[in-house]
Amino acid sequence: MHIDFHESFLPSYIPRAIVELCLQEHISEDVIFAQLELCIQQLRDPHFKLTYSEMSILVGNCLSALDLNQLSIKVGQHIQLKDLGLIGQLLQHCPTLKDALYVLERYSVLIDPALWFKVEKDQDYFVIRYRKMIPLGDIYQYSQEVISILLIRLLSQLFDIENLQLHFEFSIPSHAKQLHFLPCSMSWNQPETQLIIHDPKHSSNIGQAVSSNSSSEFLQLKQQAESQFKDFFRVKKYWIFRVLSLIHSHLHQPLKAEDLAALLFTSRSTFFRKLHVYHTNYEDLIQQVRMDFASKYLLQNKGTVSHLAYTLGFSHPSNFIKSFQDYFGMPPKQWQNSQFETIALLD
C-alpha cells in the first residue's frame, strides 16, 4: 500500500518556531527554504498546513544549518507555549500537573502528529514516556533532547514541581555538560527516554499551578481540544499517518494490534475495520514500514545487513534476507548494488 503525503495536512506550529529560531541565528531564507516553494509569511499564518514532504525538508534544512552542539538546547529553549497552538493555551489553564499530563498524552497529535506521549502513574511518581515517531536517523537523539528540555521547562514554568529524574536511551553525548541547566538528575544508556516526577506526598493533585487558573476557561479549551482531536481522527490521512508513525517508533519490537489500537484511542475491531478501508492489514503495514526503512538504510550505506536485521526486530539475518527478497525480488546486497549502479549511470 502506498500513502500519498503530498497534501497539506500537518500543523506548522513547531516548524514555524524552528524557522524563526534560524532567522534569529542569521541563517538566510534561501538556506531555510531550499527545495521548497514556501516563504516565512505563509508559515506565520496560524491556519497554514504543511505537506509531509514540506515538513521533512523544512525541518531538515533548519537542523542542518544549526550548530549540532547547541541544537537541542537552542530549539528546546526557543519553543514557547504560544508555539503549541490550542494545546499551549490549554496547558496554561490546567489546574494541576495531572491535568497537564493528560492533555499532553491525549492531545499531542494537535501539536505534531508524529509526537507520542504516554503517562503512567505509580503510588509516588509519574513516568512520562515520549518520542518523535518518524525515522530521524542521526538527529533522533537531538529530537529526544529537544522534547525533554521543552517538557521540563514548560512544566516547571507552569507548576510547582521538584524531584525530577531524566533517563536518556542513548550514550552520554559530548555536550552533556551543557544540559546541566535542567533542574533534574540525568542518566544515560537507559532502555527508554523517560521523565520521572516524584510525588512524596502521594497526592493525586501533584504540582499545583503556579498561577491561578479559571476552571471555566480550562473546560472550554478542553472541549475545543476534544473537538479538534475527534476531527483529526476522522481524516483518513491523519489516521494512517499516525498508524505508520507508531509502527516506525516500534520497529525493533512491533506492537500487538490491540496495543497499537489503544495508543490510537480506539478498539481492536475498529482498528482492523479502518485498515480494511485501505485494503491492507496490520502485518502488511509492518512489512511495508520495515522494508521502507531497510531500503533507506541500504541506500545510505549505513552498516551491515546483520545490524539492519536486528534493528528491524528479525531474530536472525537470514529471516530478514528472505523477507527482503520476497518484497524487492532480490537479496539486500544485490538490491543495494543495483541501486548504486543506477545512481552512477544517472550521474
Side-chain angles (χ1 to χ4, degrees), residues 74-312:
K74 286 182 177 179
V75 176
Q77 290 185 320
H78 179 79
I79 297 172
Q80 305 295 324
L81 283 167
K82 64 181 176 62
D83 298 316
L84 306 184
L86 173 63
I87 304 310
Q89 298 177 50
L90 184 54
L91 288 171
Q92 283 183 298
H93 289 85
C94 286
T96 70
L97 178 63
K98 183 179 179 181
D99 294 306
L101 296 181
Y102 172 83
V103 166
L104 285 172
E105 181 178 53
R106 183 165 179 83
Y107 302 124
S108 62
V109 293
L110 301 180
I111 303 169
D112 179 347
L115 278 179
W116 178 78
F117 281 89
K118 181 67 176 176
V119 180
E120 297 169 355
K121 178 70 170 75
D122 206 327
Q123 271 195 330
D124 57 351
Y125 56 85
F126 285 107
V127 177
I128 312 169
R129 301 158 55 205
Y130 47 90
R131 62 173 65 94
K132 185 83 168 173
M133 300 191 309
I134 55 177
L136 294 169
D138 294 337
I139 63 170
Y140 173 76
Q141 172 177 332
Y142 295 101
S143 76
Q144 294 296 79
E145 290 177 6
V146 167
I147 300 171
S148 302
I149 294 168
L150 180 62
L151 191 60
I152 292 171
R153 187 169 60 80
L154 295 184
L155 291 180
S156 298
Q157 173 186 328
L158 292 171
F159 302 98
D160 182 17
I161 55 177
E162 51 188 23
N163 297 323
L164 299 176
Q165 189 175 359
L166 182 58
H167 292 171
F168 282 120
E169 63 195 82
F170 37 81
S171 301
I172 184 167
S174 59
H175 59 274
K177 288 184 179 179
Q178 298 176 41
L179 296 171
H180 286 171
F181 70 93
L182 292 173
C184 64
S185 62
M186 283 178 277
S187 57
W188 313 85
N189 288 316
Q190 301 299 311
E192 188 175 37
T193 298
Q194 299 178 345
L195 177 62
I196 301 172
I197 305 176
H198 292 273
D199 179 18
K201 297 179 181 179
H202 308 289
S203 169
S204 60
N205 290 328
I206 174 179
Q208 295 295 331
V210 172
S211 59
S212 59
N213 293 294
S214 167
S215 59
S216 61
E217 285 185 278
F218 172 68
L219 292 175
Q220 185 178 8
L221 288 166
K222 189 177 177 183
Q223 287 177 347
Q224 293 179 37
E226 187 65 24
S227 176
Q228 288 190 18
F229 176 80
K230 290 178 179 177
D231 289 342
F232 176 95
F233 282 104
R234 287 192 190 104
V235 178
K236 292 179 181 178
K237 190 176 295 293
Y238 280 165
W239 187 84
I240 198 65
F241 177 85
R242 188 73 170 163
V243 171
L244 292 172
S245 295
L246 279 168
I247 294 172
H248 265 300
S249 70
H250 294 83
L251 278 177
H252 179 66
Q253 189 172 1
L255 294 167
K256 294 180 181 178
E258 53 267 31
D259 294 332
L260 190 140
L263 293 175
L264 295 168
F265 301 98
T266 190
S267 67
R268 187 176 186 273
S269 58
T270 300
F271 172 66
F272 283 126
R273 186 170 65 250
K274 294 183 78 169
L275 282 184
H276 184 69
V277 173
Y278 291 90
H279 309 289
T280 190
N281 57 58
Y282 186 42
E283 290 75 19
D284 286 347
L285 276 184
I286 292 175
Q287 177 73 341
Q288 176 191 330
V289 172
R290 278 175 157 175
M291 293 302 107
D292 181 66
F293 182 95
S295 65
K296 289 181 172 62
Y297 181 101
L298 292 169
L299 284 174
Q300 293 168 9
N301 204 16
K302 283 192 168 184
T304 66
V305 169
S306 294
H307 181 267
L308 174 57
Y310 292 126
T311 298
L312 293 176

Side-chain angles (χ1 to χ4, degrees), residues 12 16 40-49:
S12 57
R16 180 177 68 240
I40 187 60
Q41 286 74 22
Q42 289 172 296
L43 284 182
R44 286 171 177 165
D45 179 349
H47 304 294
F48 184 72
K49 301 285 187 182

